[in-house]
């Protein structure tokens, strides 16, 4: 058909399934650092244990992104999608600052440990001249400050600024 653009898929297959992670209580939200120092990451591991980071890394590898360099310092799984110096919007799902019926905050927000891991790999692709905008529009009655504090997301801008990123 004329006028249709085709885009390359992220991976040669449609679905990648990763079954290795169990949910944690939201008090673990602040454990943002990976549990291990990976060759491709330049951010230090400060002792936190973020199993979600390892799960995202495994998922990117299973998808075959930059497969020939996996396990090396120059592995850049998002490098074919993003270019240096770009401004990238990361839009998590931050619905509300608490569960309406007292349940886990995990059910109403994207896990901030996943947001941190995604941002690390985005920064790897866009470099220090790039910029990440973390943006969302929760429910109007949500307490934004409480939401950001409860999830630990208020820590991310300062963390990245310490490494010369914005």
């Amino acid at each position: 058909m004329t006028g249709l653009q085709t885009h390359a898929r992220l991976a040669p297959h449609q679905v990648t399934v990763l079954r290795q992670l169990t949910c944690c209580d939201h008090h673990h939200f602040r454990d943002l650092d990976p549990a291990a120092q990976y060759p491709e990451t330049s951010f230090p591991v400060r002792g936190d244990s973020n199993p979600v980071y390892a799960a995202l890394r495994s998922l990117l590898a299973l998808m075959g992104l930059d497969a020939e360099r996996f396990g090396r310092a120059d592995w850049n799984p998002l490098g074919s999608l993003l270019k240096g110096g770009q401004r990238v919007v990361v839009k998590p799902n931050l619905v509300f600052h608490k569960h309406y019926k007292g349940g886990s905050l995990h059910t109403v927000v994207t896990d901030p440990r996943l947001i941190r891991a995604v941002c690390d790999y985005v920064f790897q692709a866009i470099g220090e001249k790039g910029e990440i905008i973390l943006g969302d529009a929760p429910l109007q009655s949500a307490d934004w400050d409480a939401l950001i504090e409860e999830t630990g997301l208020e820590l991310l801008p300062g963390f990245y600024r310490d490494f010369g990123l914005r």
Side-chain angles (χ1 to χ4, degrees):
M1 297 178 78
T2 7
L4 284 181
Q5 275 188 313
T6 59
H7 298 281
R9 290 193 228 164
L10 289 176
H13 40 277
Q14 291 283 7
V15 177
T16 303
V17 177
L18 180 66
R19 300 171 200 236
Q20 71 180 53
L21 190 64
T22 58
C23 184
C24 303
D25 292 328
H26 73 272
H27 68 274
H28 295 292
F29 273 177
R30 292 182 174 270
D31 297 339
L32 300 177
D33 289 341
Q37 186 71 53
Y38 300 119
E40 71 276 3
T41 58
S42 56
F43 303 113
V45 174
R46 299 171 297 183
D48 297 340
S49 181
N50 177 353
V52 180
Y53 202 111
L56 176 67
R57 183 176 189 264
S58 295
L59 182 64
L60 296 172
L62 284 170
M63 291 173 70
L65 298 173
D66 198 19
E68 63 279 357
R69 293 189 287 196
F70 178 72
R72 297 183 354 203
D74 60 343
W75 183 55
N76 187 359
L78 301 180
S80 65
L81 304 169
L82 304 172
K83 301 299 174 215
Q86 282 185 314
R87 177 181 292 156
V88 176
V89 175
V90 174
K91 194 272 183 218
N93 195 23
L94 303 174
V95 177
F96 204 63
H97 63 281
K98 62 182 181 179
H99 188 282
Y100 179 69
K101 294 185 178 181
S104 172
L105 189 58
H106 272 276
T107 61
V108 293
V109 300
T110 298
D111 193 315
R113 298 169 302 173
L114 177 62
I115 297 167
R116 160 65 195 281
V118 167
C119 288
D120 280 11
Y121 284 107
V122 169
F123 268 130
Q124 182 182 9
I126 64 175
E128 63 185 32
K129 292 185 179 180
E131 179 181 11
I132 292 178
I133 297 170
L134 184 63
D136 207 341
L139 294 174
Q140 286 181 327
S141 57
D143 181 335
W144 179 256
D145 292 334
L147 175 58
I148 296 304
E149 184 178 335
E150 186 67 26
T151 58
L153 290 173
E154 85 281 1
L155 303 172
L156 285 185
F159 172 79
Y160 288 121
R161 262 193 306 276
D162 288 347
F163 291 95
L165 303 169
R166 51 190 184 128

